[in-house]
Amino acid sequence: KELSLLNFLDPACGCGNFLVITYRELRLLELKILKILQKDQQSFSIDSIVWLDVDQFYGIEYEEWPAKIAEVAMWLIDHQMNMILSEEFGQYYVRLPLKKSATIVHGNALRINWEDIISKENLSYILGNPPFYGKQLQTAEQKEDMKIVFNNVSSAGVLDYVAAWYIKAANFIKDTKIKTAFVSTSSITQGEQVGILWNELFNNYSVKIHFAHRTFKWSNEGRANAAVHVVIIGFANYDLREKFIFDYESITSEPQLRKVKNVNPYLIDFVDLVLLSKTSPICDVPTMQYGSKPVDDGNLIIEDEELENFLKNDPRVENFVRPLISAKEYLHGKKRWCLWLKDISPSELKKLPTVLERVERVRNFRLASKKEPTRDAAKYPTLFAEMRQPETDFIFFPLTTSENRNYIPLSYFASDFIVNNSCAIISNSSLFHFGVLSSKMHMNWTKNTCGRLESRFRYSNTIVYNNFPWPKEPNEKNKLLVKELAQKVLDVRAEFPNSSLADLYDPLTMPPKLVKAHNELDKAVDLCFRPQPFPTEISRIEYLFFLYQQYTEGLFGRERYR
């Protein structure tokens, strides 16, 4: 009877895959129950003992044809389950003529009232796999959907489309016992999206996460057939004493169930908090800033293959050519150059016609821009539009890096290397800073807090670096050890001058000597955090959030919740 009173809604049902599987599993469970109940019964009618039916299922689908397929699919799975039942009890059972059907509504789930489909009082579960589209892939209509659902929530435009279903469901389940679970892009548990979405869900809808599958690789047989990195998050409008996290050793591993006290938006066992964007670090460490931005239509950039001819035409230009570092060239051992005209005098510029011609094109390009700051930069066509070049040596930090690397490859550079804005700079830094940032501790923090570009890590100074909880008052002995082992990492890398950093940090080709150097550095950095070892990555990230809470408790408004 309890099973027969359950009702299910998939508000992005496609061809009905999730509804079909749910119904199948319920019918199999019902069959087990019936086998027990009818064990000693000699005579009975199957029609009188089967209580589950397709009318317990509801769906919303944007496309008309899949909506019709979903309705038919429910009839088909019902027939299949009836055939299994017939075989089990030796009675032919078929529901003809069809009297009941699943309620599948053709419409935009983000713009219709779900209560027009099923009342809150009658609904038990919301489940499904809403569309994943990131902000760059959303259509004009989908962007408008986001505006309607988020109702002017600040910065909601950066959220993935799936986030709108979380808000819509959270609003629907207010003051009910309805449970919800969605397969979602892992992006909503990473980077800047966490603060925007989960602040809203916590503060305005009192949502609590009951269970979660951490990131894994998933291939859907429905509309989106490509394998993607996803999470599954189950939540409701009320709390539970016991909650569960499904951990994955790798994105293709089988899940390991873990009972926890709480599941926060980063899907770890810790209090409900979010990392908000900060303009400066929470610890006393050097600031990280982006490199310089040319905004030049390529006119201040010189590719490596054209440098020789460029200098051949006028050797005097060499005084104003500097190496330019951006992530791709840096990681793959390529070279690129730029015109750095910061200190050129008007008389010198007049004597360099090829450079003057490029400067003129920069000016015209900026003047044609629709953006006022870019047009303003046309007043200074010899300069990069945004100048952030340090005067001293610095740590170079690539902001986008492969998710397959165990460490982000960092390097030291002299100030005459110009850094592109696709990368970041940490000036006034020491080998200790280099060592900590090159460690497993920092990499674990990055994995769990940074945004993603496709599946690659997209590092952020305001979210990841500025919120990173550095070791609290490490002793000088441990700091000195980190410095020594950080230098050892650099020295080992120097032994492979013909290998790019991409090759050196590819897990398949990383030299054993470099692996060992990093492992030694990891242990030294760990000692700066605490004397006890960290047995797992989960223990690392949970400790880092504990340390983060110590640094920020009471300082940043509503960041800490229950």
Side-chain angles (χ1 to χ4, degrees), residues 123-125 173-179 236-239:
L123 187 60
S124 311
Y125 296 95
I173 66 176
K174 260 188 172 183
D175 304 317
T176 73
K177 291 296 182 180
I178 299 170
K179 295 181 179 180
N237 190 236
Y238 58 93
D239 202 1

Side-chain angles (χ1 to χ4, degrees), residues 77-120:
I77 191 63
D78 182 59
H79 178 69
Q80 291 175 12
M81 300 314 298
N82 291 338
M83 292 302 96
I84 293 173
L85 195 69
S86 299
E87 184 177 342
E88 185 66 39
F89 289 110
Q91 297 181 33
Y92 182 67
Y93 177 59
V94 62
R95 284 173 169 153
L96 288 175
L98 297 171
K99 295 179 180 179
K100 296 180 179 180
S101 67
T103 302
I104 309 295
V105 175
H106 168 220
N108 185 336
L110 299 180
R111 301 202 188 190
I112 63 178
N113 185 350
W114 295 0
E115 278 207 90
D116 291 341
I117 301 169
I118 180 171
S119 68
K120 294 182 180 183

Side-chain angles (χ1 to χ4, degrees), residues 12-18 20 61 65-67 69-71 73-74 222-223:
C13 70
C15 294
N17 290 8
F18 278 47
V20 166
E61 170 51 35
W65 185 239
I69 292 175
E71 188 175 4
M74 292 299 291
R223 291 171 295 184

Side-chain angles (χ1 to χ4, degrees), residues 258-300:
R258 185 161 53 103
K259 188 185 294 184
V260 297
K261 293 180 179 178
N262 195 59
V263 185
N264 79 4
Y266 299 92
L267 309 189
I268 65 168
D269 182 10
F270 200 67
V271 296
D272 292 331
L273 57 76
V274 297
L275 305 180
L276 300 178
S277 178
K278 294 184 177 64
T279 56
S280 59
I282 62 171
C283 302
D284 184 18
V285 292
T287 58
M288 173 186 280
Q289 62 180 3
Y290 294 125
S292 299
K293 189 174 183 179
V295 193
D296 65 333
D297 199 29
N299 289 293
L300 296 177

Side-chain angles (χ1 to χ4, degrees), residues 218-438:
W218 183 65
S219 180
N220 178 11
E221 295 176 356
R223 291 171 295 184
N225 203 25
V228 291
H229 293 180
V230 302
V231 294
I232 301 174
I233 301 176
F235 62 94
N237 190 236
Y238 58 93
D239 202 1
L240 291 177
R241 179 171 294 181
E242 289 187 348
K243 304 178 183 72
F244 300 92
I245 293 176
F246 294 82
D247 293 315
Y248 292 78
E249 189 173 336
S250 72
I251 58 172
T252 56
S253 302
E254 289 298 312
Q256 300 296 317
L257 177 62
R258 185 161 53 103
K259 188 185 294 184
V260 297
K261 293 180 179 178
N262 195 59
V263 185
N264 79 4
Y266 299 92
L267 309 189
I268 65 168
D269 182 10
F270 200 67
V271 296
D272 292 331
L273 57 76
V274 297
L275 305 180
L276 300 178
S277 178
K278 294 184 177 64
T279 56
S280 59
I282 62 171
C283 302
D284 184 18
V285 292
T287 58
M288 173 186 280
Q289 62 180 3
Y290 294 125
S292 299
K293 189 174 183 179
V295 193
D296 65 333
D297 199 29
N299 289 293
L300 296 177
I301 310 300
I302 306 169
E303 301 299 336
D304 193 46
E305 58 270 18
E306 65 175 325
L307 179 64
E308 185 177 347
N309 285 335
F310 189 75
L311 295 179
K312 189 176 180 180
N313 290 333
D314 193 339
R316 294 172 297 179
V317 177
E318 187 172 7
N319 295 328
F320 304 100
V321 172
R322 301 270 284 274
L324 177 70
I325 326 170
S326 53
K328 184 178 179 181
E329 289 77 20
Y330 164 75
L331 292 169
H332 294 276
K334 307 296 182 183
K335 292 182 179 179
R336 210 176 184 204
W337 311 85
C338 70
L339 289 169
W340 193 251
L341 307 172
K342 180 182 176 184
D343 299 318
I344 196 169
S345 68
S347 59
E348 286 176 308
L349 183 56
K350 288 284 188 180
K351 296 173 184 176
L352 302 173
T354 55
V355 174
L356 192 62
E357 183 181 340
R358 286 185 175 230
V359 170
E360 178 64 19
R361 291 202 296 264
V362 171
R363 179 176 176 276
N364 293 336
F365 173 74
R366 292 177 181 174
L367 284 173
S369 174
K370 294 180 180 180
K371 299 178 181 179
E372 185 177 347
T374 303
R375 293 195 301 273
D376 286 344
K379 299 173 184 176
Y380 317 102
T382 56
L383 303 179
F384 279 34
E386 297 176 17
M387 302 277 285
R388 290 183 285 266
Q389 183 62 23
E391 299 293 332
T392 60
D393 294 355
F394 56 88
I395 292 176
F396 175 84
F397 202 111
L399 295 175
T400 303
T401 185
S402 170
E403 75 282 5
N404 296 320
R405 296 189 181 109
N406 294 320
Y407 306 93
I408 298 176
L410 311 182
S411 288
Y412 272 108
F413 279 98
S415 59
D416 55 347
F417 283 79
I418 308 303
V419 180
N420 189 275
N421 66 295
S422 64
C423 309
I425 302 162
I426 306 174
S427 303
N428 304 313
S429 51
S430 69
L431 275 170
F432 175 73
H433 300 117
F434 180 89
V436 173
L437 294 173
S438 298

Side-chain angles (χ1 to χ4, degrees), residues 191-192 275-278 445 449 460-467:
E192 62 182 335
L275 305 180
L276 300 178
S277 178
K278 294 184 177 64
W445 177 261
T449 62
S460 160
N461 61 340
T462 57
I463 295 290
V464 187
Y465 181 80
N466 288 348
N467 282 305

